[in-house]
Amino acid sequence: MKKSIFLTIIILTISLLSGCSRANEITSANSAEVISDNKSSGSITIGFSQVGAESDWRNINTESMKKSLSADNGYSLIYDDGQQKQQNQIIAIRTFIQKEVDYIVLAPVIEDGWNTVLAEAKDAGIPVILVDRKVNVEDNELFTCWVGSDFELEGRKVCEWLNEYCKANAIDAENINIVNIKGTEGASAELGRSRSLHKAVNKYGWNLLDEASGDFTQAKGREVMAGFLRKHKDINVVYCENDNEAFGAIDAIEAAGKKAGNDIMHGEIMILAFDGSTEQAINEIRNGRISCIGECNPLHGPRVEKIISNLEKGIIPDKYEYVDEDIFSADTSVKTITLDDISYNIVTP
Ligand code: AHR
């Protein structure tokens, strides 16, 4: 039996046994052999290259995409988990091209390094829709459009919240000692959020003690925070570039016998984070272990589906579609923040 047929049978058997078999949804895990499509049924074939499953946000995002690009909605979805590796995503895109999908949807792990493979997609005449993070390419015609969050704005909101908190509680900038648990280096979400922190540190005069990547995962967030706590005795603010890193940081803080909370002039360590997409994160806001979260909305499935259905009707989408997002905190000393003359109310869960 040929390897490809053998693998196809295994995959079909697993999906039937798990009770989640859908004729239109094939998880390839970078194995080109197992991909099949349903073009004969007249559905629109989509190859979706996802970053991975590094965070709760990502898992919610994957579900949203699968739900919107479903058989019921007329799609045949080829899903590929890139496992946080750009090389896997490049292989997936080449497989999609070979399979002559109708559209490629790419959630790129990092911004750089996409020129060649996106040019191959363009040469094959396959439109590429970017979701969540952006790419840094020489020619913006290599992709049709992008939809996602303004990561720099998210970072500015959280930093401005910290500035307002300091003002409201008479805390001098020189008393703020921050460490930054960065996301995956080179990812739009890391670049934007880090850029905003660096600008705010310069603007307000806070002390940035250290930075290291937690790769947007809970385990790495814990490890990085434990290292920071061993190295620096006076940390009182942690800027976590997503909620899972924040959960890991809280574990490390408590394991070191310290407390996560707002009272930074009396030994507590303030946690700032991003996403706010799970009940767990919102509960951490309510119980005060996370002080502020800049929302990052993961529900891109319906947005991408709308772009594709519009393209099918000949409607050209906006090149960039930014999602509106909130800022969450249970602290009542800051009610609004203002950036570029726009006021944002702080949402108290
Ligand atoms: O690109 C969006 C970021 O990626 C989210 O903040 C994070 O949780 C995810 O892994």
Side-chain angles (χ1 to χ4, degrees), residues 51 53-58 84 108 132-133 149 151 154 184 187-190 193 215-217 241-244 274-275 277 296:
V51 169
E54 74 283 4
S55 64
D56 297 331
W57 185 101
R58 185 66 54 196
Q84 292 237 70
D132 172 28
R133 302 175 188 172
S149 302
F151 300 113
E154 290 173 357
T184 302
S188 307
E190 179 273 321
R193 292 168 188 166
D215 230 359
F216 289 124
T217 69
E241 292 191 357
N242 79 347
D243 285 340
N244 287 91
F274 296 90
D275 288 351
S277 48
C296 183

Side-chain angles (χ1 to χ4, degrees), residues 98-109:
Q98 275 172 14
K99 290 286 165 190
E100 299 180 358
V101 298
D102 297 309
Y103 296 89
I104 291 172
V105 179
L106 169 65
V109 60

